[in-house]
Amino acid sequence: MPRKVMITCAVTGAIHTPSMSPHLPVTPSQIADAAIGAAEAGAALVHVHARDPETGAPDQSPEAFAPILGVIRQGCDAVINVTTGGSPAMLVEERVRPAAQFAPEVASLNMGTMNFGLYPMLNRYGDFAHDWERPFLEGSRDRPFRNTFADIEYILTTCAENGTRFEIECYDIGHLYTLAHFADRGLVEPPFFVQSVFGLLGGIGAHPEDVMHMRRTADRLFGADYEWSVLGAGRNQRTVALQAVALGGHVRVGLEDSLWIGPGQLAQSNAEQVTAMRGLIEGLGFETATPAEARTMLKLKGGDRVGF
């Protein structure tokens, strides 16, 4: 049987601002529709952030997530992954609230404090529609994305009773060792869903040797106890994904990670990126995993046991 490759789609995130693309989902209905469209195109998992519907600013309140999560669940069978990353400008107590309240099948979990440089985007975008956008990007020069050992433990213990598993986001090699540390302590159990992030300023690069180094290190630390997925930021989306699929991994796409579908060409939708990635995966002789197959691979509790 052909190997099954999971596609995750991160539909809006908190990196790009509304002025960067007219296709970035902002309102609850836009975000939910984008997730459902991505699922229909072949995404087994959808990764969800919320935004203020008026300004597009990141919003990590449970009230912002409630209308999004319910509509997605009613509209498709995809695994819904709720962020605990939120925005680098938020404290962990704010970031964990939606996952703690809604008990999703999967929540994201960042594995280390890091520089998270968004300010180079100011060189590409001159005009912003909302007052918060420019200061948010400029502030990343001197604003670390805080994910201390205490923060990580706080998220793990806060969500310990709700059966949520984690998309472990690793932006550098040391983050894999941090995961191993928490696994050794019994605070997170296999199979680990390791999402390696390449090409963000402050994290590991997107060179093929960087991808190989991440894969080799994860293999050595976790053996058969993990599923490996990758995302390449911006123009690195496809090249990183293709290498990872060839190495036995899974992929993440979506407008959170890249606004583009080709050189100088904005993606019209998240579904467009999923469709393109699905074509590349199938062109390599693999098949895309269904939500049911993703639930089996990741040993998830099932969509009937969430709190929304």
Side-chain angles (χ1 to χ4, degrees):
M1 294 290 292
R3 184 172 69 83
K4 302 287 186 174
V5 178
M6 294 183 289
I7 299 177
T8 297
C9 185
V11 298
T12 190
I15 293 175
H16 298 114
T17 69
S19 299
M20 296 178 183
S21 172
H23 311 296
L24 185 71
V26 169
T27 68
S29 62
Q30 289 171 348
I31 295 169
D33 288 348
I36 294 168
E40 291 173 346
L45 303 96
V46 290
H47 176 62
V48 179
H49 286 243
R51 292 178 180 264
D52 182 301
E54 299 297 327
T55 68
D59 186 342
Q60 200 65 7
S61 66
E63 294 76 16
F65 277 79
I68 299 170
L69 300 179
V71 173
I72 297 173
R73 187 182 175 203
Q74 292 174 5
C76 67
D77 188 40
V79 175
I80 299 174
N81 172 349
V82 173
T83 181
T84 70
S87 160
M90 299 174 181
L91 297 176
V92 69
E93 292 82 5
E94 179 182 4
R95 289 160 40 193
V96 78
R97 288 176 62 204
Q101 177 167 326
F102 296 116
E105 291 184 85
V106 177
S108 65
L109 179 58
N110 298 74
M111 276 291 114
T113 300
M114 59 181 293
N115 290 321
F116 203 91
L118 305 178
Y119 63 89
M121 294 184 187
L122 292 168
N123 298 326
R124 302 198 296 272
Y125 301 97
D127 298 322
F128 294 97
H130 304 286
D131 291 342
W132 69 271
E133 296 178 80
R134 183 179 294 277
F136 174 74
L137 298 172
E138 180 62 40
S140 68
R141 290 182 193 270
D142 196 37
R143 180 181 60 228
F145 187 14
R146 175 184 162 134
N147 296 282
T148 66
F149 289 106
D151 292 338
I152 296 167
E153 185 169 345
Y154 178 78
I155 292 173
L156 288 169
T157 55
T158 299
C159 297
E161 302 302 319
N162 62 19
T164 297
R165 298 186 67 84
F166 293 94
E167 174 200 29
I168 308 292
E169 297 196 0
C170 296
Y171 295 75
D172 220 331
I173 296 299
H175 295 179
L176 295 172
Y177 285 91
T178 299
L179 170 58
H181 163 77
F182 283 104
D184 289 343
R185 293 175 56 190
L187 293 179
V188 60
E189 296 181 352
F192 311 117
F193 182 28
V194 175
Q195 189 73 256
S196 295
V197 184
F198 298 92
L200 279 169
L201 182 60
I204 196 169
H207 190 278
E209 288 294 332
D210 296 320
V211 179
M212 285 295 302
H213 186 32
M214 188 76 81
R215 179 59 156 167
R216 284 192 298 259
T217 304
D219 279 346
R220 177 164 46 80
L221 291 174
F222 310 121
D225 286 340
Y226 82 111
E227 295 288 344
W228 183 54
S229 182
V230 304
L231 73 90
R235 66 179 182 273
N236 302 301
Q237 187 176 82
R238 292 194 190 185
T239 54
V240 168
L242 283 172
Q243 183 180 359
V245 171
L247 292 171
H250 309 279
V251 299
R252 183 173 121 172
V253 297
L255 298 186
E256 172 174 351
D257 304 332
S258 175
L259 296 175
W260 310 95
I261 193 64
Q265 183 181 358
L266 288 171
Q268 300 288 305
S269 67
N270 283 275
E272 184 180 17
Q273 288 190 353
V274 174
T275 298
M277 187 56 62
R278 183 172 187 171
L280 293 174
I281 290 167
E282 293 175 351
L284 291 173
F286 304 113
E287 294 183 356
T288 52
T290 65
E293 289 165 337
R295 289 183 171 98
T296 297
M297 282 189 270
L298 299 175
K299 295 187 178 180
L300 303 181
K301 63 182 180 179
D304 58 338
R305 296 181 56 197
V306 298
F308 53 90

PDB file of all heavy atoms in Angstrom, residues 63-81:
ATOM      1  N   GLU A  63     -13.869  33.293  23.537  1.00  0.00           N
ATOM      2  CA  GLU A  63     -15.039  33.828  22.853  1.00  0.00           C
ATOM      3  C   GLU A  63     -14.777  34.016  21.356  1.00  0.00           C
ATOM      4  O   GLU A  63     -15.708  33.900  20.538  1.00  0.00           O
ATOM      5  CB  GLU A  63     -15.445  35.161  23.476  1.00  0.00           C
ATOM      6  CG  GLU A  63     -15.951  35.073  24.908  1.00  0.00           C
ATOM      7  CD  GLU A  63     -14.840  34.880  25.934  1.00  0.00           C
ATOM      8  OE1 GLU A  63     -13.655  35.114  25.604  1.00  0.00           O
ATOM      9  OE2 GLU A  63     -15.176  34.503  27.076  1.00  0.00           O
ATOM     10  N   ALA A  64     -13.531  34.304  20.993  1.00  0.00           N
ATOM     11  CA  ALA A  64     -13.194  34.459  19.582  1.00  0.00           C
ATOM     12  C   ALA A  64     -13.138  33.112  18.863  1.00  0.00           C
ATOM     13  O   ALA A  64     -13.426  33.026  17.662  1.00  0.00           O
ATOM     14  CB  ALA A  64     -11.849  35.175  19.446  1.00  0.00           C
ATOM     15  N   PHE A  65     -12.777  32.054  19.600  1.00  0.00           N
ATOM     16  CA  PHE A  65     -12.650  30.731  18.993  1.00  0.00           C
ATOM     17  C   PHE A  65     -13.989  30.000  18.873  1.00  0.00           C
ATOM     18  O   PHE A  65     -14.171  29.183  17.965  1.00  0.00           O
ATOM     19  CB  PHE A  65     -11.683  29.870  19.811  1.00  0.00           C
ATOM     20  CG  PHE A  65     -10.243  30.104  19.498  1.00  0.00           C
ATOM     21  CD1 PHE A  65      -9.572  31.208  20.030  1.00  0.00           C
ATOM     22  CD2 PHE A  65      -9.534  29.242  18.680  1.00  0.00           C
ATOM     23  CE1 PHE A  65      -8.242  31.438  19.748  1.00  0.00           C
ATOM     24  CE2 PHE A  65      -8.197  29.463  18.382  1.00  0.00           C
ATOM     25  CZ  PHE A  65      -7.550  30.561  18.923  1.00  0.00           C
ATOM     26  N   ALA A  66     -14.913  30.269  19.793  1.00  0.00           N
ATOM     27  CA  ALA A  66     -16.141  29.479  19.872  1.00  0.00           C
ATOM     28  C   ALA A  66     -16.903  29.398  18.547  1.00  0.00           C
ATOM     29  O   ALA A  66     -17.258  28.294  18.106  1.00  0.00           O
ATOM     30  CB  ALA A  66     -17.031  30.023  20.987  1.00  0.00           C
ATOM     31  N   PRO A  67     -17.179  30.514  17.864  1.00  0.00           N
ATOM     32  CA  PRO A  67     -17.938  30.399  16.616  1.00  0.00           C
ATOM     33  C   PRO A  67     -17.160  29.739  15.487  1.00  0.00           C
ATOM     34  O   PRO A  67     -17.753  29.166  14.572  1.00  0.00           O
ATOM     35  CB  PRO A  67     -18.267  31.859  16.274  1.00  0.00           C
ATOM     36  CG  PRO A  67     -17.216  32.664  16.966  1.00  0.00           C
ATOM     37  CD  PRO A  67     -16.893  31.926  18.221  1.00  0.00           C
ATOM     38  N   ILE A  68     -15.845  29.792  15.555  1.00  0.00           N
ATOM     39  CA  ILE A  68     -15.019  29.163  14.525  1.00  0.00           C
ATOM     40  C   ILE A  68     -15.035  27.648  14.677  1.00  0.00           C
ATOM     41  O   ILE A  68     -15.287  26.898  13.722  1.00  0.00           O
ATOM     42  CB  ILE A  68     -13.572  29.694  14.606  1.00  0.00           C
ATOM     43  CG1 ILE A  68     -13.526  31.197  14.369  1.00  0.00           C
ATOM     44  CG2 ILE A  68     -12.668  28.956  13.613  1.00  0.00           C
ATOM     45  CD1 ILE A  68     -12.175  31.830  14.667  1.00  0.00           C
ATOM     46  N   LEU A  69     -14.773  27.181  15.886  1.00  0.00           N
ATOM     47  CA  LEU A  69     -14.626  25.741  16.114  1.00  0.00           C
ATOM     48  C   LEU A  69     -15.922  24.996  15.839  1.00  0.00           C
ATOM     49  O   LEU A  69     -15.912  23.907  15.232  1.00  0.00           O
ATOM     50  CB  LEU A  69     -14.157  25.491  17.552  1.00  0.00           C
ATOM     51  CG  LEU A  69     -12.814  26.118  17.935  1.00  0.00           C
ATOM     52  CD1 LEU A  69     -12.489  25.809  19.392  1.00  0.00           C
ATOM     53  CD2 LEU A  69     -11.692  25.630  17.026  1.00  0.00           C
ATOM     54  N   GLY A  70     -17.046  25.553  16.271  1.00  0.00           N
ATOM     55  CA  GLY A  70     -18.311  24.878  16.060  1.00  0.00           C
ATOM     56  C   GLY A  70     -18.652  24.722  14.595  1.00  0.00           C
ATOM     57  O   GLY A  70     -19.124  23.659  14.162  1.00  0.00           O
ATOM     58  N   VAL A  71     -18.409  25.758  13.811  1.00  0.00           N
ATOM     59  CA  VAL A  71     -18.721  25.701  12.384  1.00  0.00           C
ATOM     60  C   VAL A  71     -17.816  24.696  11.671  1.00  0.00           C
ATOM     61  O   VAL A  71     -18.274  23.924  10.824  1.00  0.00           O
ATOM     62  CB  VAL A  71     -18.599  27.102  11.753  1.00  0.00           C
ATOM     63  CG1 VAL A  71     -18.749  27.027  10.241  1.00  0.00           C
ATOM     64  CG2 VAL A  71     -19.658  28.032  12.336  1.00  0.00           C
ATOM     65  N   ILE A  72     -16.527  24.684  12.021  1.00  0.00           N
ATOM     66  CA  ILE A  72     -15.621  23.720  11.387  1.00  0.00           C
ATOM     67  C   ILE A  72     -16.057  22.296  11.699  1.00  0.00           C
ATOM     68  O   ILE A  72     -16.120  21.435  10.804  1.00  0.00           O
ATOM     69  CB  ILE A  72     -14.166  23.938  11.839  1.00  0.00           C
ATOM     70  CG1 ILE A  72     -13.657  25.314  11.414  1.00  0.00           C
ATOM     71  CG2 ILE A  72     -13.251  22.853  11.250  1.00  0.00           C
ATOM     72  CD1 ILE A  72     -12.294  25.665  11.981  1.00  0.00           C
ATOM     73  N   ARG A  73     -16.362  22.041  12.941  1.00  0.00           N
ATOM     74  CA  ARG A  73     -16.744  20.686  13.321  1.00  0.00           C
ATOM     75  C   ARG A  73     -18.005  20.235  12.594  1.00  0.00           C
ATOM     76  O   ARG A  73     -18.129  19.076  12.191  1.00  0.00           O
ATOM     77  CB  ARG A  73     -16.946  20.605  14.837  1.00  0.00           C
ATOM     78  CG  ARG A  73     -17.180  19.170  15.298  1.00  0.00           C
ATOM     79  CD  ARG A  73     -17.421  19.062  16.777  1.00  0.00           C
ATOM     80  NE  ARG A  73     -17.742  17.685  17.124  1.00  0.00           N
ATOM     81  CZ  ARG A  73     -18.416  17.321  18.195  1.00  0.00           C
ATOM     82  NH1 ARG A  73     -18.843  18.236  19.040  1.00  0.00           N
ATOM     83  NH2 ARG A  73     -18.667  16.055  18.430  1.00  0.00           N
ATOM     84  N   GLN A  74     -18.950  21.133  12.418  1.00  0.00           N
ATOM     85  CA  GLN A  74     -20.173  20.789  11.709  1.00  0.00           C
ATOM     86  C   GLN A  74     -19.944  20.629  10.212  1.00  0.00           C
ATOM     87  O   GLN A  74     -20.677  19.885   9.548  1.00  0.00           O
ATOM     88  CB  GLN A  74     -21.232  21.865  11.955  1.00  0.00           C
ATOM     89  CG  GLN A  74     -21.745  21.918  13.394  1.00  0.00           C
ATOM     90  CD  GLN A  74     -22.687  23.084  13.634  1.00  0.00           C
ATOM     91  OE1 GLN A  74     -23.036  23.813  12.703  1.00  0.00           O
ATOM     92  NE2 GLN A  74     -23.086  23.278  14.880  1.00  0.00           N
ATOM     93  N   GLY A  75     -18.932  21.315   9.683  1.00  0.00           N
ATOM     94  CA  GLY A  75     -18.742  21.354   8.241  1.00  0.00           C
ATOM     95  C   GLY A  75     -17.819  20.324   7.661  1.00  0.00           C
ATOM     96  O   GLY A  75     -17.792  20.134   6.437  1.00  0.00           O
ATOM     97  N   CYS A  76     -17.016  19.654   8.496  1.00  0.00           N
ATOM     98  CA  CYS A  76     -16.080  18.658   7.976  1.00  0.00           C
ATOM     99  C   CYS A  76     -15.629  17.744   9.108  1.00  0.00           C
ATOM    100  O   CYS A  76     -15.928  17.989  10.273  1.00  0.00           O
ATOM    101  CB  CYS A  76     -14.867  19.326   7.324  1.00  0.00           C
ATOM    102  SG  CYS A  76     -13.789  20.231   8.477  1.00  0.00           S
ATOM    103  N   ASP A  77     -14.874  16.714   8.741  1.00  0.00           N
ATOM    104  CA  ASP A  77     -14.398  15.744   9.730  1.00  0.00           C
ATOM    105  C   ASP A  77     -12.922  15.925  10.060  1.00  0.00           C
ATOM    106  O   ASP A  77     -12.313  15.073  10.702  1.00  0.00           O
ATOM    107  CB  ASP A  77     -14.640  14.317   9.202  1.00  0.00           C
ATOM    108  CG  ASP A  77     -14.361  13.249  10.253  1.00  0.00           C
ATOM    109  OD1 ASP A  77     -14.713  13.469  11.435  1.00  0.00           O
ATOM    110  OD2 ASP A  77     -13.757  12.205   9.903  1.00  0.00           O
ATOM    111  N   ALA A  78     -12.321  17.016   9.612  1.00  0.00           N
ATOM    112  CA  ALA A  78     -10.890  17.216   9.853  1.00  0.00           C
ATOM    113  C   ALA A  78     -10.591  17.295  11.346  1.00  0.00           C
ATOM    114  O   ALA A  78     -11.417  17.736  12.149  1.00  0.00           O
ATOM    115  CB  ALA A  78     -10.423  18.501   9.175  1.00  0.00           C
ATOM    116  N   VAL A  79      -9.389  16.870  11.710  1.00  0.00           N
ATOM    117  CA  VAL A  79      -8.891  17.047  13.072  1.00  0.00           C
ATOM    118  C   VAL A  79      -8.647  18.538  13.295  1.00  0.00           C
ATOM    119  O   VAL A  79      -7.939  19.174  12.515  1.00  0.00           O
ATOM    120  CB  VAL A  79      -7.586  16.262  13.284  1.00  0.00           C
ATOM    121  CG1 VAL A  79      -7.012  16.540  14.672  1.00  0.00           C
ATOM    122  CG2 VAL A  79      -7.805  14.772  13.063  1.00  0.00           C
ATOM    123  N   ILE A  80      -9.223  19.076  14.341  1.00  0.00           N
ATOM    124  CA  ILE A  80      -9.078  20.507  14.628  1.00  0.00           C
ATOM    125  C   ILE A  80      -7.984  20.701  15.674  1.00  0.00           C
ATOM    126  O   ILE A  80      -8.041  20.143  16.767  1.00  0.00           O
ATOM    127  CB  ILE A  80     -10.407  21.112  15.113  1.00  0.00           C
ATOM    128  CG1 ILE A  80     -11.473  20.960  14.020  1.00  0.00           C
ATOM    129  CG2 ILE A  80     -10.222  22.584  15.481  1.00  0.00           C
ATOM    130  CD1 ILE A  80     -12.863  21.386  14.451  1.00  0.00           C
ATOM    131  N   ASN A  81      -7.002  21.484  15.302  1.00  0.00           N
ATOM    132  CA  ASN A  81      -5.814  21.754  16.111  1.00  0.00           C
ATOM    133  C   ASN A  81      -5.880  23.213  16.561  1.00  0.00           C
ATOM    134  O   ASN A  81      -5.845  24.126  15.730  1.00  0.00           O
ATOM    135  CB  ASN A  81      -4.572  21.473  15.246  1.00  0.00           C
ATOM    136  CG  ASN A  81      -3.264  21.883  15.882  1.00  0.00           C
ATOM    137  OD1 ASN A  81      -3.230  22.560  16.895  1.00  0.00           O
ATOM    138  ND2 ASN A  81      -2.171  21.493  15.261  1.00  0.00           N
TER     139      ASN A  81
END
